[in-house]
């Protein structure tokens, strides 16, 4: 069955679920982009490996790179944020990598589908929202497009910037997240009888309760 929520499913943010969601979402984004971009561009999945203070093992996080197929120059990087990217030493290391990208001619897409953790900084005009998608075109920096949305809203469609002479394909993340949800079998593994431990208001928690009862998956 598909997810019961019209946008992001907040239960997926559980640390037991998010690593799988994160990895599978990267793969399905690559899968839908590849046929649209070949033969000029190659879509690859790379991994960032680093150590975080307090974690004994190395952290390995996948991300997407769109490369010019002929020169292998990275044109666009697509990041789906993890919980580690938004806190402590992992946040510091991610921001260092982000800053390096922003100083290059590489476009950046940064997808934040996590309520927990401090939002990553913007140069100005901070927006208070549950979720954010940042589209930073190298040719337009320091300006960027911000797609901010909240829990009851569907995930907005956003463009993939390439080189200036190419049309920008649209990424519809909502159906891709639904595909990840179904293929991961989360209807069987998420306990919707339990409240979620997220910094949400009483009104927002009531909305979640109403949605789950309407779909008859919470008594």
């Amino acid at each position: 069955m598909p997810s019961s929520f019209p946008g992001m499913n907040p239960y997926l943010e559980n640390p037991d679920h998010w690593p799988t969601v994160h990895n599978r979402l990267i793969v399905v984004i690559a899968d839908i982009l590849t046929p649209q971009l070949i033969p000029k561009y190659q879509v690859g999945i790379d991994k960032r490996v680093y150590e975080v203070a307090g974690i004994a093992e190395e952290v390995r996080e996948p991300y997407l790179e769109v490369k010019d197929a002929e020169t292998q120059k990275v044109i666009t990087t697509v990041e789906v944020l993890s919980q580690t990217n938004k806190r402590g030493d992992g946040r510091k290391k991610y921001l260092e990598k982000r800053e390096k990208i922003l100083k290059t001619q590489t476009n950046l897409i940064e997808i934040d589908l996590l309520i927990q953790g401090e939002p990553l900084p913007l140069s100005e005009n901070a927006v208070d929202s549950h979720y954010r998608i940042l589209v930073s075109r190298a040719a337009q920096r320091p300006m960027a497009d911000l797609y901010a949305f909240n829990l009851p809203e569907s995930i907005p469609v956003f463009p993939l910037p390439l080189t200036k002479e190419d049309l920008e394909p649209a990424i519809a993340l909502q159906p891709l997240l639904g595909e990840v949800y179904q293929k991961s079998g989360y209807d069987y593994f998420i306990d919707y009888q339990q409240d979620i431990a997220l910094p949400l208001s009483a009104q927002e928690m009531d909305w979640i309760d109403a949605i789950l009862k309407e779909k008859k998956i919470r008594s």
Side-chain angles (χ1 to χ4, degrees):
M1 291 179 63
S3 171
S4 299
F5 293 90
M8 179 59 188
N9 182 329
Y11 283 83
L12 296 179
E13 192 167 331
N14 185 308
D16 291 336
H17 304 315
W18 188 251
T20 297
V21 175
H22 182 273
N23 292 344
R24 288 196 169 194
L25 194 54
I26 290 284
V27 172
V28 296
I29 293 173
D31 287 344
I32 62 104
L33 287 179
T34 294
Q36 300 182 67
L37 299 182
I38 54 174
K40 184 175 181 178
Y41 297 105
Q42 181 180 2
V43 182
I45 299 176
D46 206 343
K47 283 192 177 181
R48 180 170 49 254
V49 181
Y50 58 92
E51 293 183 358
V52 177
I55 299 178
E57 298 181 359
E58 288 182 328
V59 175
R60 297 175 177 267
E61 293 176 336
Y63 60 93
L64 284 183
E65 286 187 335
V66 178
K67 296 181 180 181
D68 182 290
E70 182 178 353
T71 66
Q72 289 297 291
K73 177 185 176 182
V74 179
I75 305 300
T76 306
T77 296
V78 181
E79 293 275 2
V80 178
L81 296 187
S82 68
Q83 282 114 344
T84 305
N85 297 148
K86 296 184 70 176
R87 62 173 186 253
D89 193 43
R91 178 186 178 93
K92 178 183 176 182
K93 291 181 183 299
Y94 175 76
L95 287 176
E96 289 172 353
K97 191 240 181 176
R98 183 203 210 202
E99 187 63 24
K100 288 180 181 178
I101 293 175
L102 294 177
K103 290 179 179 178
T104 70
Q105 292 302 304
T106 301
N107 306 304
L108 173 66
I109 293 178
E110 188 176 83
I111 302 169
D112 184 357
L113 299 178
L114 300 169
I115 293 176
Q116 293 191 78
E118 181 184 356
L120 296 182
L122 302 173
S123 58
E124 57 184 20
N125 298 329
V127 175
D128 185 16
S129 63
H130 290 140
Y131 310 110
R132 305 192 308 186
I133 299 171
L134 181 71
V135 178
S136 174
R137 296 173 178 84
Q140 297 179 4
R141 292 187 185 122
M143 302 299 292
D145 294 333
L146 181 67
Y147 298 79
F149 57 105
N150 290 305
L151 182 58
E153 301 169 318
S154 62
I155 302 173
V157 177
F158 57 93
L160 175 82
L162 298 166
T163 51
K164 62 182 181 180
E165 67 269 16
D166 290 321
L167 293 175
E168 299 180 344
I171 300 177
L173 204 59
Q174 191 70 62
L176 299 183
L177 187 65
E179 180 181 336
V180 168
Y181 180 90
Q182 290 187 281
K183 288 185 175 179
S184 301
Y186 283 125
D187 263 354
Y188 296 96
F189 304 122
I190 293 176
D191 183 3
Y192 287 113
Q193 303 302 319
Q194 300 295 320
D195 286 334
I196 49 176
L198 292 177
L200 296 171
S201 68
Q203 183 179 5
E204 289 161 344
M205 294 296 286
D206 288 343
W207 177 82
I208 291 172
D209 183 61
I211 286 285
L212 296 176
K213 288 180 177 176
E214 178 187 346
K215 301 294 184 179
K216 303 187 185 303
I217 54 179
R218 175 182 281 184
S219 55

